[in-house]
Amino acid sequence: MVSIKPGFTGQTFDDSTWAKFAHIKTFQTQYHHLSFQIDGGVRWENLARLIKTGLDLIVVGSLLFNSENYQTVMQKNALLN
């Protein structure tokens, strides 16, 4: 699932995406072999909530690459899981 308007990095998370998670949960229940991921607008402010949705993968592109220390970001992310 893309949570931004495709094409530009560093965009803000589109809050209308939250409503789509219930629909995604239905697919996860019916189609166990499918993986679901989100890409776009992932920030520290929404990361914990995104983890709680049960997605299989959360792309943290700008969150990671705009940080001064990749290792710190990865360690913080590990604590959230």
Side-chain angles (χ1 to χ4, degrees):
M1 180 180 342
V2 177
S3 53
I4 57 170
K5 293 189 182 353
F8 301 100
T9 186
Q11 294 183 54
T12 303
F13 186 87
D14 182 354
D15 285 329
S16 69
T17 306
W18 295 115
K20 298 175 185 176
F21 286 115
H23 190 65
I24 291 295
K25 283 292 187 189
T26 301
F27 277 103
Q28 282 181 314
T29 302
Q30 293 175 350
Y31 304 101
H32 301 286
H33 62 284
L34 296 178
S35 295
F36 293 92
Q37 70 179 40
I38 193 156
D39 187 357
V42 176
R43 303 286 183 269
W44 288 116
E45 296 78 27
N46 60 15
L47 184 57
R49 186 174 173 192
L50 286 167
I51 291 169
K52 289 179 184 177
T53 64
L55 290 163
D56 299 301
L57 180 69
I58 300 172
V59 177
V60 294
S62 293
L63 178 67
L64 180 64
F65 294 115
N66 290 337
S67 70
E68 292 183 17
N69 186 325
Y70 293 175
Q71 183 176 4
T72 301
V73 172
M74 298 308 291
Q75 287 171 339
K76 283 183 182 179
N77 187 37
L79 292 174
L80 290 172
N81 287 316

